[in-house]
Amino acid sequence: MEADESVNVLGEPLALCGTDPVTGFFRDGHCNTCDADQGSHTVCAVMTAEFLAFSKYVGNDLSTPNPTFGFAGLQPGDPWCLCAGRFLQAADEGCAPKVHLAATHQRALEVVPLEVLRAHALDAATG
């Protein structure tokens, strides 16, 4: 399983999203992706209590630990590679978390318009 080229939504090398906890489809800390990544875990977002509650409500509980998978559960402030579709859904509902554009993979643009990502960017200077 080979990863797509590591390029972000700004056309630059993909930055690290997070290693505590380790995130990404490949669990390498980056929001890299490939054809096997059906959920397109490409949006590097910083969790908020509001988003975590929304995600749990719509069926993806990211805050509860799951020791079977070595998953400690996410807390507000944790960076995480979100599914692009879930991010867009949260944006439509008004509860999207902030995004690290430099660490968001370019394939996120297949699902989420760049304007939507920019509207939720952590650092206006990078987007």
Side-chain angles (χ1 to χ4, degrees):
M1 188 165 42
E2 189 174 326
D4 287 6
E5 188 178 2
S6 294
V7 176
N8 68 27
V9 294
L10 305 172
E12 300 165 348
L14 188 66
L16 183 71
C17 182
T19 57
D20 184 21
V22 177
T23 190
F25 180 74
F26 293 100
R27 290 298 188 260
D28 62 1
H30 291 83
C31 296
N32 282 308
T33 190
C34 66
D35 289 339
D37 178 11
Q38 306 241 330
S40 187
H41 294 78
T42 50
V43 177
C44 180
V46 177
M47 298 298 97
T48 62
E50 184 181 28
F51 174 77
L52 289 169
F54 168 77
S55 189
K56 185 175 184 176
Y57 176 75
V58 294
N60 187 17
D61 184 356
L62 297 173
S63 52
T64 300
N66 188 336
T68 305
F69 294 102
F71 181 67
L74 298 176
Q75 304 294 320
D78 286 343
W80 196 249
C81 294
L82 285 182
C83 293
R86 177 70 76 221
F87 173 82
L88 185 60
Q89 182 184 19
D92 288 345
E93 295 293 330
C95 59
K98 291 294 186 186
V99 174
H100 280 292
L101 294 177
T104 296
H105 196 279
Q106 66 181 356
R107 284 202 48 193
L109 298 175
E110 295 174 4
V111 178
V112 185
L114 184 57
E115 313 83 76
V116 174
L117 291 169
R118 285 182 191 266
H120 295 89
L122 278 167
D123 183 354
T126 63

